[in-house]
Amino acid sequence: MKETATISRRTFMKTCGWASAALFSSTARGAIMQASGPEVEFVLRGGRTWVDGRWCHCDIGVTSKGRLVVSRQPVYCNHIIDVTGKVVSPGFIDILADNSANPERTFQVFEKYKLTDGVTTALQMHGGATHAGDYYRYFEQQKHCVNYGVSTKVMNLRYKYPILTNRLKAIESSLDTGALGISHSPEYHPDTTWDELLAYARIARKYERPLFLHTRYSSREKELLGVDEAIRLAQQTGCRVHIDHLNSTGGTFHMAEALERIRNARNSGLEITSCVYPCSYWATYLHSARFNDGWQNRYEMTYSDLEIVGTGEKLTEESFHRYRRKPGILVAAKSGVQPMDTTVKPALMEDFCVIGSDGGIEKESCANNHPRGANCFSTAIRYALDEKIPLEKILDKMTARSARIIGAPMKGRGELRNGYMADITVFDPDEIRGTATNANPCQTSAGIELVIVNGKIAYDKQQLTDNKNGIAIKY
């Protein structure tokens, strides 16, 4: 990025002009509108931006309060950042980030790799926290380079509260203290009953929060039954349901049918959404119920099709059983088990399907994490560009649509509109791509040029800055 010379704050504040109202054109949607004179700290100029349904070269100003000023005319300010040839996007929103195992020890590394992938808001809606109130109280005392938030994680609560009535009280307490929603994964807890799921959905409806669901089945024979169960929950309770990573659970073998079921449910008035991540293989913990007896038939794989992420070691029958006794070993399935052309691409054609990583990097050296934890969004953009999917379509699935799935706490984020929070990602469309691999997942994304979080530059020229301006996203 090219910038003007640095000047003192006092001189800058005297010389930086107010964005003149005469320079702004108003539109019905209000993305570019009359300005009332916000104090502009710096301006991004020369980049290509999708605003009001078309690409344009707008000035994107950031005020001293971290708010956006969007103008098709020059915004006068001494601090101009030249982003010519780059795309200026709302900051990416990861609604399926995952760092629930040891967040107190790992959140800084986790947030670093989200930020370097262009993510400005990382929300853990698949896992999350046992109790959101405790989580937010602790993490609001820490400094964050991205915005953060959590659901209440039913899998943890099932261990802590064996009696359902006590568990439901804990869920409500978590929602009362800020949780963004309820998350559960019946495939990992196969003893979850229908009545239990129904109870969670009713609470989600009561609190007007989404229920994030990793469905019950991943096999060719049964995966659509999990999709049907998610739809029935929405039908019987009226709650908002989000189906996690449909490409690996629910639509791996029958994506067209899964999408049709969801589409029909939405046409009937139900609020159902889903997400995918841009990879042709999944990864999960070897000790989990997903690898209970019969997994070879369910996933149509064998031992040598599994690889330990971070080392590249291929499993054998002996090492499978040995590692399975050690909690925390993440293994990746062979490439191609969820073909991009038959899973991810058709899902991306649907407005109700967004991008979510289902991952996160926990430590720097020999990270035992899927590469999607570091490079999900850059990989998704590269895939869309290579497959001739309109750039604005894929960006919408990383920003505005993801914000709307969460609801009220994300109001004023996810779009480049006057007065919205200045969460911005600038990238080079020719260079953007993921670089992480199974052997080495700890790789920053190529092509991410600049990331701004709540009006402060957090990542620039491949370097993290000292600005840690992320805040809690919660009810």
Side-chain angles (χ1 to χ4, degrees), residues 90-94 354-355 376-381 393-403:
F92 306 151
I93 299 166
D94 188 356
V354 302
I355 296 292
C376 173
F377 291 83
S378 58
T379 300
I381 293 174
K393 187 177 184 73
I394 197 71
L395 291 179
D396 188 43
K397 294 175 179 295
M398 300 177 171
T399 57
R401 291 191 183 276
S402 296

Side-chain angles (χ1 to χ4, degrees), residues 379-415:
T379 300
I381 293 174
R382 183 77 269 144
Y383 177 75
L385 291 171
D386 290 346
E387 293 295 316
K388 311 303 181 187
I389 298 172
L391 181 57
E392 63 271 17
K393 187 177 184 73
I394 197 71
L395 291 179
D396 188 43
K397 294 175 179 295
M398 300 177 171
T399 57
R401 291 191 183 276
S402 296
R404 288 197 289 271
I405 288 171
I406 301 302
M410 289 296 289
K411 185 177 180 180
R413 299 183 191 272
E415 297 181 65

